[in-house]
Amino acid sequence: MSPREHNAPRPRADEENTLSRRELLGHAARLSAGLAAGGLAGGLLGCRATAPAGGGEDAAPLESLAASGGIDYAKARAVPTVCFGCTTHCGVLGWVQDGRVRKIDGNPLDPNTQGTLCAKANGMISYTYYPERLLYPLRRVGKRGAGRWKRIGWDEALDEVASRLRRLREKGTPERFVFHYGRDKTKGFTKRFTNAFGTPNRLNRRSICSSNRRVPLMSFYGREFEWESQDFANTQFVLNFGANPMEATQGGLFMIKRLMDARVDHGARLVTFEVRPSATASISDEFFRVKPASDGAIALAMAHVILAEGLEDRAFWDRWANVPLGVIREQVRPFTPEFAERESGVPAADIRRLAVAFAKAAPRCCTLSNRGSAKHYNGVQADRAIRMLDVLVGNVGRPGGFCLSSLRMWKNRYGQEGLPVLDQPAPHPPKPEPWRPGTRCFESLPEEVRRRVAAFPPEWQAKYYGELATPSEYPLSWLFYSMRVGQLVYPMIRDRVQPVEVYMSYTLGASYGFPEAHVAREVLADESLVPFHVAIDISYSEQAALADIILPDATSLERWDAHSTNCYGLRPYTAIRQPLVEPLGEARPVQIILRDLARRIGGGMERYFDFEDLEDYYRAWYSELPISWEELKRRGVWTDPERPLDYELYERPLTPEELEGTKVEPETGLVVREKNGKRRAVGIVQDGRAVRGFPTPSRKIQVREELFPLAAKLTGLPEDDGNASPLPTYQRVPEHEDLDEDQLVLTTFKWNVHTQGRSAYWKYHAEIVHTNPLFMNPETGARLGLEDGDEVKVTVYRPKGRTYRAGERQPVGILRNRVRFLAGMHPRVVACSHHAGHWEHGPVARADARPSPAAAGTSPELRDPDVPERIWWSKEQGGPGNGVPLNDVLPINPAPLVGGQNWFDNVCTVAKVS
Amino acid sequence: MNAPPSLDPAQQAPLWALTARLLLSEPDEELRAVLAAPPARDSLRAIEADLARWLAGEEAEEAPGPAEDFVRLFVAPCEAPPYASAWLPGERELLGARIHDFVGRVLSALGRERVVRPPWGRLPLDHLGLLCELVAAAATEGEPARRRAGELLRSEVLDPCLFPFGRRLRERARHPLYRAAGTLLVALAPE
Ligand code: SF4
């Protein structure tokens, strides 16, 4: 029955049931009495009593409700899938009616979200039905970047790309094909393509994002744990060093959901150190406004207090840390609370008080940090200092503490024992060969690079694939796994470190979003540096504007993807992204695009793409799940409800099968297995029992990590640079050392309705936030002679540490913006968000009505009455416009050894535009 | 035709609590045990004869149980959306905004708040399970203002949903437990 029929004459119940209504009500009365006797009446599931009541008089009746359009739930179907509004990947339900997705809800069966979702999720509808969405392949006409395009057929597009790629394979130079992605969540499908092709150059943007926060964690806990899973639901006390899960942070929704519940339900406390009043800082029990990049000093001072007060968990430390406690005592001795107060501005008394409170709450306490602490010159060591606090108080893996849960696709790795194996269907293409000294690729590298790599240990050389993929100055960007240093790719191409012949951008916004994004644009515009550029995306972006061919991708509502991530409920689960609707126009899922390219390229690579139907491919991928494929599609997620929670994974005994063929090393207690001449520790003997320990070389928590000094030595980083320290330490950011009176630190941030550079064209989200003013403390404004709303000139300078173009006096760039006063900002910090100022992505993002250069690739059928008529924030309609492209003026600034972009170190001056 | 027997709100409370339970969580062994106790069992069997086997714990193990129906009906593909906004004309295009506002005030009047209950998290304010629970709770309140809030909630929001929702439930349910629930809700709908 349609809702419109609600008020229509209806048959009575007794016309549809053999019992009369009277009889039914009689049974109902007896049932009710029986239930009351059975004790059901009091058991509440959805609400609980609070006191005092708000007063029944307030409860006004509803007004009469008028019927009209919207979703017709009688027709609409909810289909579970996985959100792609951001990289958190929540399980969601998409309501589909008449072949169109109408609304996105949370999927209550997703154990991570528990049915919640954020404001961005419905952006998937905006981008799927955006009038300027790309629906047809395009070829440029005229000069690259001139913005003139012609629609072509898929055959023509694929033939051209394939013939360029085939030539590289035929010449024996497959590495000259570079596949560079921004948002690739195909869980290895694109790698299948690059491996089958034979290029190691599958590049990403991880260094732009999170490598500085992943390396500290992996250095402590092993490759399997590049992301942690604090047990927020059961915690009592959280020390948050600059993370902002309320509006940013991968997994933020999972975290904040549980954290808010813990605060409401059992009074958990949240303490935040931040440079600006972020949404998370604002809802914290205590918010300390700190100097940028001082988190490490605070954490080390807390460690100092915990040890001085004897509040450490000695037994846990001795059992699981890889360094004696005495060594740490010495290491943290100079980092007193008074020292940290000078560095951070947090009163020493508060540091003492909070350190004690944290330790006393153990094990129901945990640290929280993300880019806020990590994206600095000293950020990797800061995060290591923060991670050490959890080890000191022994909360690791314990209820309410700092837990770890399986993250990646299930392949019987650590923490995945007993789970079905989920893998792409066979056959699997081989990985490309490493670039060892003597190989053709290696010998073509610049001499300085060859010298450096030749001195690397053999196990490092076995992971080296040239400078684009594995830059030798940043070995920690690829020793754990291939995170790359994306922001150096364009300078390297410009400097001809490695030749590129075919460059494929996939959902990449480097030309808008990378630091010094103009470098990406200059390189991509230069056909002598990049002879052929093909872009795959759903919308016409600044990156696609510099392509020769554009291929339209299906959106997340139109395609399949496998999914797994860590669960903050501490029980692994998997989910499936499934198409809710057919791709619009001629858009095709990237998997089909790559399959068809592989078949055209041939030469053997086509045999890895021997499937017709994507659903069959994913069905095979999930074939080991204990539920049927249909059931997985119906629920959207699968988890084993009987599986024990991931507490204390390290204490689980090794099984007889795991012990088979191993031996115990007497001096270390390590249980090791030798295979093909390689020795690998699989566990450790503790109290006479072989247990798994952590997935690190020592099977302990590597608070001391010798990779740092070794990498420093082999890359020429002086040993007195804090980044070279094997133990957590603190040093100031070099360019913050002697800031002039008029110099400020320019930090960036993300809004809860935006997802980096990819959301500015989602119409509802852009309507909420479309500009990015420069936030400033009013006192700072007064000191600079500014008034709220003034137009200012922001000049940004180069960094000073051991990094790209450090110390050059010439500013990186100048930006004009409006200043917005905000109490709560640190007085030496200004903040500007980074989603705005697009000059492509259509009228919503640009906030203008100019016709799209890529109109030939769009469809008039996607007309939307809001676009551009209702873009009230456009300057044409008297609005403020769409903000400024901030990242163009931020310096490329990779952290030593790791290469993560130090987004939050920028030094600037601000002056009024007269 | 004789007028059907009327139940006063307090007498109906357990029925609403049962409905809430059926809409909010997958039926389990504990619930089956409560429903299988004699007086409840007999009434349920009278309402839906096919329920006898389940009540007796004799359903074949491989047969789809009521838990499977729970997911299909109320989660995905959500064949009987358990949201008042889905059944009240005019609310759908507002994403249930007015109901949310109203129920929020009823919660406050009753001195209650939503709790977190996996797998649902905090329920949407228009979830019929929550509404049934509030109606059940209000019916046994001593304070007249609270009882009145419950009555308002029932007459303004829950009652208008009972017929269309109950009918949909009865149509789409595969397990007799949910068919019985649909039949009961239709019967309880005001004339
Ligand atoms: S956090 Fe929001 S946008 Fe990101 S995946 Fe979850 S619901 Fe989607």
Side-chain angles (χ1 to χ4, degrees):
Chain A
M1 173 169 130
S2 107
R4 285 177 191 285
E5 294 171 81
H6 287 171
N7 300 327
R10 54 194 203 184
R12 282 306 320 171
D14 46 10
E15 289 169 34
E16 299 177 1
N17 194 289
T18 49
L19 297 178
S20 69
R21 180 165 187 254
R22 184 187 169 78
E23 285 167 323
L24 278 169
L25 286 176
H27 288 306
R30 283 187 289 282
L31 173 62
S32 207
L35 292 171
L40 192 79
L44 296 182
L45 289 174
C47 66
R48 68 171 176 201
T50 58
E57 300 309 323
D58 287 348
L62 291 171
E63 293 156 15
S64 71
L65 305 164
S68 65
I71 300 177
D72 182 343
Y73 286 89
K75 284 196 205 158
R77 264 172 67 81
V79 184
T81 190
V82 176
C83 183
F84 205 177
C86 77
T87 54
T88 293
H89 294 280
C90 302
V92 291
L93 302 174
W95 286 93
V96 185
Q97 184 190 322
D98 302 328
R100 191 178 167 108
V101 184
R102 308 281 169 148
K103 180 184 168 207
I104 306 291
D105 272 336
N107 181 353
L109 300 177
D110 181 318
N112 238 345
T113 66
Q114 299 180 325
T116 55
L117 83 174
C118 85
K120 296 186 292 287
N122 278 280
M124 289 198 289
I125 297 180
S126 300
Y127 64 60
T128 298
Y129 299 110
Y130 187 42
E132 298 239 350
R133 179 174 161 201
L134 293 173
L135 297 175
Y136 305 98
L138 293 172
R139 173 198 289 286
R140 80 172 154 93
V141 284
K143 216 168 151 306
R144 191 187 285 170
R148 289 175 42 224
W149 298 91
K150 151 177 142 192
R151 177 174 161 183
I152 55 173
W154 272 103
D155 282 339
E156 181 182 339
L158 293 174
D159 282 346
E160 164 132 21
V161 179
S163 77
R164 299 235 178 204
L165 286 170
R166 193 183 320 109
R167 235 172 289 152
L168 292 185
R169 289 187 97 214
E170 285 166 358
K171 280 198 303 183
T173 55
E175 77 285 354
R176 294 187 181 194
F177 167 43
V178 169
F179 180 91
H180 201 163
Y181 67 86
R183 281 280 168 80
D184 176 7
K185 291 293 166 182
T186 61
K187 288 279 179 263
F189 190 96
T190 60
K191 194 173 185 177
R192 188 181 186 93
F193 183 79
T194 51
N195 280 357
F197 186 82
T199 180
N201 289 318
R202 179 172 167 269
L203 311 181
N204 58 27
R205 49 156 196 111
R206 187 132 299 158
S207 59
I208 300 299
C209 176
S210 52
S211 46
N212 280 9
R213 64 95 66 216
R214 293 183 195 231
V215 163
L217 196 60
M218 290 189 288
S219 76
F220 262 49
Y221 295 110
R223 159 70 185 103
E224 299 308 325
F225 297 112
E226 57 192 294
W227 219 267
E228 68 276 21
S229 311
Q230 294 95 331
D231 187 15
F232 287 122
N234 296 302
T235 201
Q236 278 300 132
F237 197 101
V238 179
L239 281 176
N240 171 25
F241 293 87
N244 186 17
M246 282 291 283
E247 48 192 347
T249 302
Q250 185 169 312
L253 192 72
F254 315 147
M255 301 178 193
I256 210 68
K257 158 92 183 51
R258 291 176 169 80
L259 189 48
M260 296 305 280
D261 291 346
R263 296 179 72 207
V264 171
D265 293 345
H266 56 261
R269 291 178 61 74
L270 172 65
V271 176
T272 293
F273 305 102
E274 247 291 9
V275 298
R276 63 179 193 95
S278 69
T280 308
S282 308
I283 55 105
S284 296
D285 297 286
E286 294 184 66
F287 158 38
F288 292 91
R289 198 174 59 175
V290 296
K291 268 192 221 160
S294 62
D295 306 88
I298 301 167
L300 289 166
M302 288 188 162
H304 177 109
V305 172
I306 290 167
L307 287 168
E309 300 286 332
L311 293 171
E312 73 278 8
D313 183 337
R314 182 73 200 232
F316 182 85
W317 184 279
D318 288 348
R319 188 173 170 89
W320 288 116
N322 75 336
V323 56
L325 193 59
V327 173
I328 296 300
R329 215 179 276 284
E330 281 312 304
Q331 176 73 1
V332 302
R333 195 179 301 281
F335 300 112
T336 61
E338 287 70 26
F339 168 84
E341 176 174 343
R342 286 194 296 278
E343 294 300 296
S344 66
V346 180
D350 286 316
I351 292 177
R352 283 204 171 80
R353 172 176 62 81
L354 294 169
V356 169
F358 178 75
K360 287 196 169 163
R364 293 190 184 276
C365 63
C366 56
T367 61
L368 166 61
S369 68
N370 200 358
R371 296 169 184 82
S373 56
K375 301 300 270 180
H376 297 284
Y377 189 83
N378 63 7
V380 171
Q381 292 291 354
D383 258 30
R384 285 173 49 76
I386 294 165
R387 297 288 85 91
M388 186 170 73
L389 290 173
D390 296 295
V391 189
L392 266 179
V393 301
N395 66 25
V396 177
R398 296 195 165 148
F402 190 87
C403 294
L404 302 159
S405 188
S406 172
L407 174 64
R408 298 188 289 147
M409 284 315 276
W410 300 343
K411 293 188 187 160
N412 211 12
R413 300 183 173 106
Y414 184 100
Q416 300 176 344
E417 298 83 355
L419 291 169
V421 170
L422 302 180
D423 201 359
Q424 295 192 49
H428 299 286
K431 282 190 204 156
E433 286 297 314
W435 294 19
R436 290 208 166 84
T439 57
R440 174 187 60 81
C441 291
F442 181 86
E443 298 306 328
S444 67
L445 291 167
E447 195 196 334
E448 183 199 351
V449 172
R450 279 184 279 137
R451 232 183 302 118
R452 192 182 298 130
V453 176
F456 284 175
E459 62 275 19
W460 293 23
Q461 288 178 355
K463 294 183 177 179
Y464 181 71
Y465 290 96
E467 291 296 282
L468 293 181
T470 49
S472 53
E473 261 193 280
Y474 301 89
L476 298 186
S477 73
W478 45 271
L479 276 177
F480 293 99
Y481 78 106
S482 306
M483 293 187 291
R484 332 291 194 194
V485 184
Q487 70 273 45
L488 287 180
V489 164
Y490 298 101
M492 282 199 262
I493 297 175
R494 181 195 57 201
D495 299 343
R496 299 183 191 274
V497 175
Q498 269 179 240
V500 172
E501 290 194 32
V502 177
Y503 183 89
M504 187 180 278
S505 304
Y506 173 50
T507 56
L508 180 67
S511 299
Y512 159 83
F514 273 26
E516 296 183 60
H518 56 90
V519 178
R521 298 199 295 277
E522 285 152 20
V523 167
L524 290 174
D526 186 338
E527 292 181 45
S528 75
L529 293 171
V530 178
F532 188 69
H533 176 200
V534 50
I536 305 176
D537 213 327
I538 59 173
S539 163
Y540 185 70
S541 63
E542 292 81 4
Q543 187 86 359
L546 292 162
D548 300 309
I549 298 249
I550 303 176
L551 304 177
D553 192 10
T555 74
S556 53
L557 296 178
E558 301 166 338
R559 61 182 250 207
W560 295 95
D561 278 313
H563 175 64
S564 74
T565 193
N566 53 319
C567 182
Y568 286 77
L570 298 176
R571 186 174 281 130
Y573 75 107
T574 187
I576 187 83
R577 173 174 295 132
Q578 58 183 319
L580 277 63
V581 285
E582 287 291 313
L584 292 176
E586 291 184 5
R588 294 183 182 177
V590 68
Q591 298 96 323
I592 295 293
I593 297 174
L594 296 181
R595 179 198 69 181
D596 292 349
L597 277 177
R599 289 175 175 181
R600 281 172 161 82
I601 295 165
M605 75 177 289
E606 70 280 8
R607 74 189 194 90
Y608 303 107
F609 298 86
D610 184 22
F611 61 89
E612 289 309 315
D613 182 64
L614 263 187
E615 180 166 358
D616 289 343
Y617 190 85
Y618 283 90
R619 187 188 286 116
W621 193 323
Y622 280 88
S623 58
E624 284 207 13
L625 272 198
I627 57 169
S628 70
W629 173 245
E630 291 306 318
E631 180 71 357
L632 177 66
K633 286 190 343 184
R634 203 159 67 78
R635 303 179 77 98
V637 293
W638 182 79
T639 187
D640 173 3
E642 305 298 323
R643 189 178 170 86
L645 298 183
D646 280 345
Y647 291 126
E648 300 191 59
L649 289 175
Y650 46 90
E651 291 286 6
R652 290 200 191 156
L654 290 174
T655 63
E657 299 81 59
E658 286 165 335
L659 281 168
E660 209 176 286
T662 62
K663 61 180 188 205
V664 176
E665 288 184 348
E667 33 333 325
T668 58
L670 284 174
V671 182
V672 297
R673 173 175 293 120
E674 285 197 21
K675 204 172 156 192
N676 306 329
K678 280 192 193 154
R679 165 196 169 280
R680 201 169 74 83
V682 297
I684 189 166
V685 176
Q686 296 279 27
D687 300 332
R689 213 169 55 129
V691 296
R692 276 191 299 192
F694 294 87
T696 58
S698 65
R699 303 308 282 190
K700 293 192 170 186
I701 304 170
Q702 304 216 155
V703 179
R704 176 170 33 214
E705 178 53 84
E706 295 297 341
L707 273 179
F708 290 99
L710 179 60
K713 187 170 148 222
L714 294 173
T715 59
L717 182 73
E719 63 183 35
D720 62 352
D721 188 299
N723 288 290
S725 171
L727 293 172
T729 189
Y730 170 78
Q731 68 182 341
R732 282 195 190 152
V733 172
E735 56 270 30
H736 296 180
E737 278 277 8
D738 46 5
L739 281 187
D740 293 343
E741 254 314 281
D742 66 336
Q743 285 185 318
L744 301 166
V745 175
L746 168 59
T747 198
T748 76
F749 68 97
K750 190 167 138 327
W751 290 96
N752 60 348
V753 291
H754 281 294
T755 177
Q756 295 93 28
R758 297 194 67 80
S759 54
Y761 65 100
W762 307 353
K763 65 178 183 179
Y764 298 119
H765 302 76
E767 181 165 24
I768 297 168
V769 179
H770 36 262
T771 57
N772 55 344
L774 188 73
F775 286 98
M776 178 184 275
N777 187 304
E779 288 167 23
T780 312
R783 192 165 57 79
L784 296 174
L786 298 172
E787 287 183 19
D788 198 17
D790 274 351
E791 189 175 11
V792 289
K793 194 172 88 169
V794 184
T795 308
V796 187
Y797 299 92
R798 293 235 169 246
K800 289 187 177 162
R802 296 265 304 191
T803 187
Y804 176 82
R805 294 180 68 174
E808 287 182 16
R809 300 184 79 85
Q810 190 72 10
V812 188
I814 295 173
L815 191 77
R816 281 185 173 213
N817 203 349
R818 297 254 166 213
V819 74
R820 171 103 44 96
F821 286 170
L822 178 63
M825 289 290 301
H826 192 285
R828 295 305 299 270
V829 174
V830 283
C832 184
S833 64
H834 57 71
H835 54 88
H838 282 274
W839 58 96
E840 298 297 358
H841 279 301
V844 173
R846 292 190 318 249
D848 66 29
R850 161 167 74 87
S852 168
T858 63
S859 164
E861 280 169 28
L862 279 183
R863 242 197 323 268
D864 179 336
D866 292 339
V867 181
E869 282 72 20
R870 296 197 188 124
I871 305 173
W872 53 262
W873 58 95
S874 71
K875 290 199 169 145
E876 291 148 17
Q877 298 198 33
N882 72 335
V884 294
L886 173 70
N887 294 359
D888 245 28
V889 300
L890 300 185
I892 293 173
N893 185 4
L897 307 181
V898 173
Q901 169 69 14
N902 300 325
W903 281 119
F904 307 137
D905 282 347
N906 317 293
V907 171
C908 71
T909 52
V910 179
K912 184 168 175 167
V913 174
S914 50
Chain B
M1 191 195 245
N2 292 338
S6 64
L7 289 170
D8 79 25
Q11 283 173 323
Q12 278 191 7
L15 274 184
W16 297 121
L18 170 64
T19 312
R21 177 83 176 259
L22 289 172
L23 299 186
L24 290 173
S25 67
E26 302 180 49
D28 55 11
E29 195 42 41
E30 188 194 342
L31 179 68
R32 196 195 60 78
V34 172
L35 299 183
R41 180 194 60 198
D42 299 342
S43 319
L44 280 169
R45 281 201 303 220
I47 295 165
E48 182 61 60
D50 292 351
L51 252 183
R53 288 177 70 79
W54 181 75
L55 287 169
E58 287 169 359
E59 243 173 22
E61 251 188 38
E62 62 285 1
E68 193 177 310
D69 241 20
F70 172 84
V71 174
R72 197 171 49 77
L73 292 166
F74 307 134
V75 181
C78 205
E79 294 192 10
Y83 307 104
S85 320
W87 303 106
L88 291 184
E91 282 300 312
R92 291 177 294 286
E93 70 280 12
L94 297 172
L95 302 177
R98 278 182 291 183
I99 295 182
H100 281 233
D101 177 57
F102 179 83
V103 178
R105 281 184 285 130
V106 172
L107 266 173
S108 144
L110 288 172
R112 282 170 194 274
E113 65 182 8
R114 287 170 293 160
V115 293
V116 180
R117 178 73 57 172
W120 292 96
R122 253 177 251 286
L123 293 171
L125 279 164
D126 66 336
H127 196 287
L128 291 169
L130 176 69
L131 304 191
C132 289
E133 211 168 84
L134 290 175
V135 166
T140 54
E141 282 284 354
E143 221 180 278
R146 289 185 172 197
R147 276 208 307 275
R148 222 170 31 251
E151 283 157 17
L152 263 181
L153 180 65
R154 167 131 194 220
S155 62
E156 295 290 338
V157 186
L158 189 56
D159 274 353
C161 298
L162 289 181
F163 184 81
F165 175 67
R167 198 161 90 153
R168 172 64 77 85
L169 192 54
R170 199 168 62 191
E171 274 167 20
R172 300 295 170 91
R174 292 186 191 154
H175 195 274
L177 181 60
Y178 280 108
R179 254 197 330 267
T183 302
L184 267 177
L185 292 180
V186 169
L188 289 167
E191 291 257 39

